[in-house]
Amino acid sequence: VDLGDVAAGEILRVGSLRLLGEVLSVDGDIATVQVYEETAGLRVGDPVEATGRPMLAQLGPGLLGNTYDGLQRPLGALAAGGAARLRPGLTAPALDPERRWRFEPSLADGATAGPGDVLGTAAEGPLEHRVLVPPDAETGTLQGLRAGEFTVSEPIGSLVGADGRRHDLALAHGWPIRRPRPVARRLPVDEPLLTGQRVIDMLFPVARGGTAVIPGGFGTGKTVVEQAIARWSDAQVVVYVGCGERGNEMAELLAAFPELEDPRTGRPLLERTVLIANTSNMPVAAREASVQLGVTIAEYFRDQGYDVALLADSTSRWAEALREISGRLQELPGEEGYPAYLGSRLAAFYERAGRAVAVAAGGGPERVGSLTIVGAVSPPGGDFSEPVTQASLRLAGTFWALDPELAHARHFPAISWTRSYSLYVGHLRRAMARLAGPDWEALRAEAVALLGREQQLLEIVQLVGPDALPDDDRIALEQARIMRETFLRQHAFDPVDASRPPDVQLALLRAVLAAREGLRAALDDGATLESAMASPALVELQRAGSLAGDDVVERLDELAARLRRGDGAAPEPPEVAA
């Protein structure tokens, strides 16, 4: 496009249909533009209009419960208007311009306010939507701020600066999707994001405000893990970005999410969720925009003081879009054709996670929010040595490697306990001791060591058979089997099994690890391993994952005490055995 005075990142309207496009590079008066929509029908001489602004996310009441495409077009509103397909040039306001919201101010008229201050609240589903002064506004005096019912664009008051200029304030404001929203200061990530999944919370936890990566090949359960986190985690707001996924998968997701129930409120989970659906048949540039849009919306709720989880599925499709755009720009390719700046782009994305104090120029109560980013990676053929997985691995604090063998064996979640790790264990020591129990760190280390020893013993068993192993090793194999089947394997959708609090999870782990003492005592008393494994306490342990009730921790601790004593593990009389 020959436009003259434009800047990289500026949004353009292209052709008679006013297609949305973005300037990728500028060389003199010639701008290279990536159009976000289907370009069939464009021809030389078509008009192009510069907007003078970058791509903005519209932030305000009405985000929760909505489903957008990668350009923040509301799919529900378009479908209700008769648009069964996203035709080129089709558009609609991101926030319903007709809906009126009840606004209650929290600042008095005439008060001083500035960037990030809370003007008031608007009820939105289960949350209190805090209306903020835009972070790029100037400090000034409030005039005309009043309660009432307003649309997202109507003025609710004005901010008068020191120079006398008046700026109208509304319930919603725009923010560039590629510019991180500022914070007052960063805080340590020393609280866990509890997911309800035992293999995550007890062995490989992620901090609230931290980052996690889920790499796995096709069919290993990346989407199921992310949906389980969306439903069962203690995040207050969930932003789910389907980036470059197949249309049938996104259709299943969009059909399933409205049916999910929030276990904390009993209301639809969608009321505290924002869905961004960017399918693989959409233009590649829209993929990159969808991820940036999702993290900007998540930062907005973080600035309100909420704990937010951003689930990106998958960053590999985003990286493939970067590769395609880079190739069209004839940039020097890096490893496997990805652009040389792939690592820095991924780093800029994951660095937007964190726990922070929100900006509040006028003072007031301190708002602490967090943004946890969980990114799924789809390595071709399940090869973790490919560039996107390796770049993500260097950036994330938690690495949940999905194992295809576990997935094919119907072991959910299929998170490999030999390849996964968490760098947050030391940071979460105090919090987990408070939430789960003071012995969490010691029991976690013992469990990881046991699972590692099992892998070594299984290699030996393949050579010499299990009968050639000493008793201690045979006990370790049986104990690891119980841990895999009772503790690590978990239902994703059962309300009882999928949402265990940390104290119950640790009590179950404590019982599994206590079995070793009882088995050792039984063998010392002359019992065979087979008869010891048939003891009532061990049989009860293998069904302990389904225990329910308010006294589960006490029952599990009692079971652990019985297991240590080896109750019922004595050798049986011959006539009973017969």
Side-chain angles (χ1 to χ4, degrees):
V1 177
D2 185 358
L3 273 179
D5 188 17
V6 293
E10 187 172 336
I11 293 297
L12 307 177
R13 291 292 182 177
V14 181
S16 57
L17 294 177
R18 294 175 55 80
L19 305 178
L20 195 65
E22 181 180 3
V23 177
L24 297 182
S25 64
V26 180
D27 184 10
D29 290 339
I30 303 299
T32 301
V33 179
Q34 171 68 62
V35 178
Y36 286 123
E37 306 179 68
E38 174 60 50
T39 56
L42 285 182
R43 59 184 181 270
V44 174
D46 276 355
V48 177
E49 175 189 346
T51 64
R53 60 172 179 81
M55 186 171 180
L56 302 177
Q58 295 303 313
L59 307 172
L63 287 171
L64 295 178
N66 228 323
T67 301
Y68 297 103
D69 74 343
L71 309 180
Q72 209 184 4
R73 292 181 292 192
L75 300 182
L78 292 174
R85 298 185 61 193
L86 283 174
R87 300 186 305 273
L90 187 65
T91 186
L95 302 174
D96 188 347
E98 304 297 330
R99 181 173 178 179
R100 308 188 75 82
W101 300 87
R102 179 66 189 177
F103 172 71
E104 294 292 339
S106 57
L107 294 177
D109 196 29
T112 300
D117 284 337
V118 177
L119 294 171
T121 59
E124 182 179 10
L127 294 180
E128 180 183 73
H129 194 110
R130 294 158 187 160
V131 180
L132 306 177
V133 177
D136 55 355
E138 296 181 359
T139 301
T141 303
L142 290 172
Q143 289 187 3
L145 189 68
R146 63 200 185 280
E149 293 189 352
F150 304 92
T151 65
V152 291
S153 58
E154 288 178 342
I156 59 174
S158 300
L159 194 63
V160 180
D163 55 1
R165 289 189 299 175
R166 181 183 300 272
H167 303 275
D168 287 338
L169 298 171
L171 296 180
H173 66 270
W175 186 261
I177 63 172
R178 291 180 176 81
R179 188 198 308 171
R181 289 174 66 93
V183 297
R185 68 179 187 277
R186 297 274 179 172
L187 298 175
V189 285
D190 53 8
E191 291 287 332
L193 179 74
L194 298 174
T195 65
Q197 304 298 302
R198 293 186 287 264
V199 66
I200 294 176
D201 292 346
M202 292 293 105
L203 301 188
F204 311 109
V206 60
R208 192 175 296 169
T211 56
V213 170
I214 315 177
F218 176 76
T220 54
K222 297 183 297 296
T223 302
V224 177
V225 172
E226 291 202 329
Q227 289 185 28
I229 294 174
R231 185 175 185 183
W232 306 113
S233 75
D234 59 354
Q236 295 168 292
V237 177
V238 175
V239 180
Y240 189 98
V241 182
C243 175
E245 291 300 295
R246 290 178 293 277
N248 61 337
E249 286 192 1
M250 288 305 306
E252 292 176 3
L253 178 73
L254 296 179
F257 253 85
E259 304 297 327
L260 295 179
E261 181 182 290
D262 188 342
R264 289 185 289 184
T265 64
R267 299 177 60 84
L269 180 66
L270 199 60
E271 289 187 355
R272 59 179 181 90
T273 303
V274 182
L275 295 176
I276 298 176
N278 177 262
T279 52
S280 55
N281 63 331
M282 298 182 73
V284 291
R287 295 188 197 175
E288 204 265 345
S290 68
V291 174
Q292 304 290 353
L293 171 65
V295 73
T296 302
I297 293 175
E299 285 179 332
Y300 173 63
F301 284 103
R302 177 208 63 194
D303 289 350
Q304 296 182 46
Y306 293 117
D307 295 315
V308 187
L310 171 69
L311 310 175
D313 187 11
S314 74
T315 55
S316 292
R317 307 287 182 260
W318 175 38
E320 289 169 3
L322 292 177
R323 177 168 61 183
E324 187 165 341
I325 294 173
S326 176
R328 292 179 182 181
L329 292 175
Q330 300 182 11
E331 295 174 338
L332 186 66
E335 187 177 0
E336 294 190 16
Y338 288 103
Y341 49 77
L342 171 65
S344 62
R345 287 288 181 90
L346 283 171
F349 168 62
Y350 283 110
E351 283 173 358
R352 295 177 74 167
R355 183 167 166 264
V357 176
V359 171
E366 192 174 79
R367 305 189 309 277
V368 176
S370 67
L371 168 54
T372 308
I373 295 180
V374 180
V377 183
S378 306
D383 179 15
F384 287 3
S385 66
E386 60 90 33
V388 181
T389 305
Q390 289 299 308
S392 302
L393 186 149
R394 289 190 291 268
L395 298 167
T398 302
F399 189 73
W400 299 324
L402 297 180
D403 189 335
E405 294 185 3
L406 291 176
H408 296 157
R410 300 296 187 266
H411 178 110
F412 178 85
I415 295 176
S416 169
W417 44 84
T418 58
R419 304 182 69 177
S420 303
Y421 64 82
S422 173
L423 301 179
Y424 298 117
V425 173
H427 300 280
L428 302 177
R429 181 185 299 114
R430 292 184 179 179
M432 291 301 291
R434 183 183 73 251
L435 296 169
D439 52 348
W440 169 76
E441 190 173 18
L443 292 178
R444 177 197 173 275
E446 185 179 348
V448 171
L450 173 65
L451 293 169
R453 187 181 179 192
E454 181 198 26
Q455 295 299 313
Q456 299 172 352
L457 293 175
L458 289 176
E459 295 178 1
I460 299 174
V461 167
Q462 292 178 355
L463 297 175
V464 300
D467 295 335
L469 295 177
D471 288 346
D472 278 349
D473 290 345
R474 295 176 64 196
I475 291 174
L477 284 176
E478 289 297 334
Q479 189 182 18
R481 179 186 63 80
I482 295 173
M483 178 173 292
R484 285 188 283 104
E485 296 177 357
T486 305
F487 185 80
L488 297 178
R489 189 164 58 187
Q490 197 168 357
H491 203 294
F493 306 107
D494 182 2
V496 175
D497 192 33
S499 59
R500 296 291 194 178
D503 57 339
V504 176
Q505 297 183 36
L506 189 64
L508 180 58
L509 179 59
R510 192 181 295 117
V512 171
L513 295 176
R516 177 180 181 81
E517 298 178 30
L519 288 172
R520 181 69 267 177
L523 266 61
D524 290 342
D525 290 340
T528 64
L529 182 60
E530 290 73 17
S531 64
M533 289 298 300
S535 70
L538 276 170
V539 172
E540 185 178 344
L541 173 63
Q542 296 180 66
R543 295 195 295 263
S546 59
L547 290 177
D550 296 334
D551 60 342
V552 174
V553 174
E554 290 77 8
R555 292 160 64 188
L556 288 172
D557 287 342
E558 180 184 351
L559 178 59
R562 290 169 51 200
L563 288 166
R564 291 191 190 94
R565 295 194 302 265
D567 284 4
E572 298 173 344
E575 63 272 18
V576 176

